[in-house]
Amino acid sequence: MARRSDHSREEIRQMALNAAETIVVAEGYKGLSARKVAGAIDYTVGTLYLVFDNLDDLVLQVNGRTLDALYEWLRARRAPDADARASLLALADAYIAYAETETPRWNMLFEYITDKGNALPDWYQMKLSKVFGLAEVALKPLADHRSEQEIQQAARVLWASVHGICTLRIRHRMDLAGGQSTGEMAHMLVDNFLQGFEA
Amino acid sequence: MARRSDHSREEIRQMALNAAETIVVAEGYKGLSARKVAGAIDYTVGTLYLVFDNLDDLVLQVNGRTLDALYEWLRARRAPDADARASLLALADAYIAYAETETPRWNMLFEYITDKGNALPDWYQMKLSKVFGLAEVALKPLADHRSEQEIQQAARVLWASVHGICTLRIRHRMDLAGGQSTGEMAHMLVDNFLQGFEA
DNA sequence: AAAATAATTGAACGACGTTCAGTTTGTTGC
DNA sequence: GCAACAAACTGAACGTCGTTCAATTATTTT
């Protein structure tokens, strides 16, 4: 049954992305396959390749959605009216909570590795920047005497650091040091970093 | 030609690990396959499964070697006689240099993800602890008034943070904020954190 | 109604991880 | 020296994978 036109190209795209998300949540990154996605939306593999360049492209699109979801999750949980310290701690906690709640989706954000030297597309970088931006906004009140650039740098350093703690913990590369939870480690980081940054 | 006894089981194991490393360096994690490893050591796939449980097991063994190599790399480059700050900066720089020099091997350390909830084996955790230990030793002179546990926690937080910066940069998840290099970001982190930690 | 066009299929390709019946070799007991 | 046994090793087989593309079918256009 060719040209069913039951669904537009864009509809198929969205259906495929939904199906892919469901599969990743249920079976993890490795459980994802073109045939499974196609089957889940009642199309064949061939059709998938009309809509996506390849599986990596599909994964990248799912990741794009995940970044959007992450941004909304963080925005809903930040404490914009608190002081910088509390605000950044809220962000860190929210990030960790997202990673722990949506582990398969969050994992996929970093399991997808570009070929050596090939950067991610611009639209993807912008989504990333949007997430980083939340930390910049939170950090600003603490240091409005500093340059825009310094704040951006510090925000990214902080963000990457929280991410590092989070990723090593979730992937079992760092056992609980003295019973300290992931959140407590992140707090230790933010507290000490800010104390230095304020000085 | 069965039971060639040209090589002992352990020899085959080492040959396979060597071959796997070569393949990973040349073609990356995704380029690794059982057939390629077997071919490279002039055995067949079947033999590989006498020596390793499965490909994940082989990858884990390679990662174990990588952790050993990383430890030696860091040990050779640390500045044990410098003050804590300089010592930790040297470690951070060395870690970043390793990741940038041995990117495929280093990447594989984190691309291998255990099934949900399954921790890594004890021998692997010990190798990880050994690496973390370098940071603990470097940090100790700065805070010998603090408890052993506090130092361990702080060292791990610092390490994970440097790792986070490193991984986001190498995987293109964080563009150069205002032209700041990976090393400069790590320095910013260490400097500010230590200032807070000392206080 | 025929021709042109677009959408969709599904078989095909080579490669993958993993298994295991079968073959070959070394070792042991006579 | 020879049979019997055990260990080492093979390679074909299974099901799955990403990806391609000639063939088929449905819609539009003429």
Side-chain angles (χ1 to χ4, degrees):
Chain A
M1 355 155 196
R3 166 102 94 138
R4 306 199 262 193
S5 72
D6 290 353
H7 307 102
S8 72
R9 215 141 246 240
E10 183 56 24
E11 277 173 332
I12 293 180
R13 223 182 76 93
Q14 297 301 331
M15 286 161 60
L17 293 178
N18 288 340
E21 276 173 0
T22 305
I23 293 167
V24 169
V25 168
E27 311 176 38
Y29 180 54
K30 287 175 188 161
L32 191 69
S33 83
R35 278 174 246 262
K36 272 190 205 163
V37 172
I41 62 172
D42 270 312
Y43 279 85
T44 54
V45 248
T47 302
L48 225 50
Y49 282 82
L50 295 171
V51 176
F52 300 101
D53 295 343
N54 47 48
L55 251 214
D56 276 356
D57 182 29
L58 189 152
V59 169
L60 196 67
Q61 310 287 334
V62 173
N63 282 347
R65 284 176 157 211
T66 303
L67 286 180
D68 291 340
L70 172 60
Y71 176 79
E72 287 306 326
W73 172 285
L74 296 172
R75 222 174 55 83
R77 282 160 184 80
R78 67 178 170 174
D81 300 328
D83 60 41
R85 187 182 155 278
S87 189
L88 283 164
L89 288 177
L91 264 186
D93 287 340
Y95 185 72
I96 292 165
Y98 186 82
E100 284 174 346
T101 309
E102 299 287 342
T103 308
R105 270 208 277 270
W106 177 80
N107 260 330
M108 200 164 79
L109 286 176
F110 307 101
E111 277 164 15
Y112 171 85
I113 297 188
T114 58
D115 294 337
K116 181 175 72 176
N118 290 7
L120 294 158
D122 274 351
W123 62 265
Y124 194 90
Q125 291 288 355
M126 287 182 66
K127 286 185 194 294
L128 279 169
S129 294
K130 215 172 149 191
V131 174
F132 286 132
L134 290 170
E136 288 168 32
V137 170
L139 185 60
K140 193 166 284 176
L142 195 85
D144 48 46
H145 60 288
R146 304 234 189 181
S147 74
E148 202 73 38
Q149 191 182 296
E150 262 183 304
I151 291 172
Q152 195 193 53
Q153 289 174 348
R156 285 173 185 233
V157 165
L158 257 178
W159 192 277
S161 299
V162 171
H163 168 75
I165 291 169
C166 196
T167 198
L168 287 189
R169 286 282 308 124
I170 285 197
R171 297 185 178 184
H172 304 104
R173 259 70 175 181
M174 186 170 55
D175 48 15
L176 294 158
Q180 214 184 196
S181 73
T182 310
E184 285 163 346
M185 294 181 102
H187 281 220
M188 185 182 198
L189 166 78
V190 172
D191 277 337
N192 284 311
F193 183 92
L194 288 188
Q195 221 171 308
F197 193 68
E198 276 181 298
Chain B
M1 1 152 190
R3 168 103 91 140
R4 306 200 260 193
S5 75
D6 291 352
H7 308 102
S8 72
R9 214 143 246 238
E10 183 55 26
E11 278 173 331
I12 293 180
R13 224 184 74 94
Q14 296 302 332
M15 286 161 60
L17 294 179
N18 289 339
E21 277 173 0
T22 305
I23 293 167
V24 169
V25 168
E27 312 176 38
Y29 180 53
K30 287 175 190 162
L32 191 69
S33 84
R35 277 175 244 263
K36 272 189 204 164
V37 172
I41 63 172
D42 270 313
Y43 279 84
T44 53
V45 249
T47 302
L48 226 51
Y49 281 82
L50 295 171
V51 177
F52 300 100
D53 295 342
N54 47 50
L55 250 214
D56 277 356
D57 181 30
L58 189 151
V59 168
L60 195 67
Q61 311 288 335
V62 173
N63 282 347
R65 285 177 155 210
T66 303
L67 285 180
D68 291 341
L70 172 60
Y71 176 78
E72 288 307 325
W73 172 286
L74 297 172
R75 222 174 54 83
R77 283 162 183 77
R78 67 179 169 172
D81 300 326
D83 61 40
R85 187 182 156 278
S87 189
L88 284 164
L89 288 177
L91 265 186
D93 287 341
Y95 185 72
I96 291 165
Y98 187 82
E100 285 175 345
T101 309
E102 301 286 341
T103 308
R105 271 208 276 270
W106 177 81
N107 259 330
M108 200 164 80
L109 286 176
F110 307 101
E111 278 164 14
Y112 170 85
I113 297 187
T114 58
D115 293 338
K116 181 175 72 178
N118 290 5
L120 294 158
D122 273 351
W123 62 263
Y124 195 90
Q125 290 287 354
M126 287 183 65
K127 286 185 194 294
L128 280 169
S129 294
K130 217 172 147 192
V131 174
F132 285 132
L134 290 170
E136 288 169 30
V137 170
L139 185 60
K140 192 166 284 176
L142 196 84
D144 46 46
H145 60 289
R146 304 233 189 182
S147 75
E148 202 74 37
Q149 190 182 300
E150 262 182 305
I151 291 173
Q152 196 193 53
Q153 289 174 350
R156 284 172 185 232
V157 165
L158 257 177
W159 192 279
S161 300
V162 171
H163 169 75
I165 291 169
C166 197
T167 199
L168 287 189
R169 286 284 305 125
I170 285 196
R171 296 184 178 184
H172 304 103
R173 260 69 176 181
M174 186 170 56
D175 49 15
L176 294 158
Q180 215 184 195
S181 73
T182 309
E184 285 163 346
M185 295 181 102
H187 281 222
M188 186 181 197
L189 166 76
V190 172
D191 277 337
N192 284 310
F193 183 92
L194 287 189
Q195 220 170 309
F197 192 68
E198 275 181 300

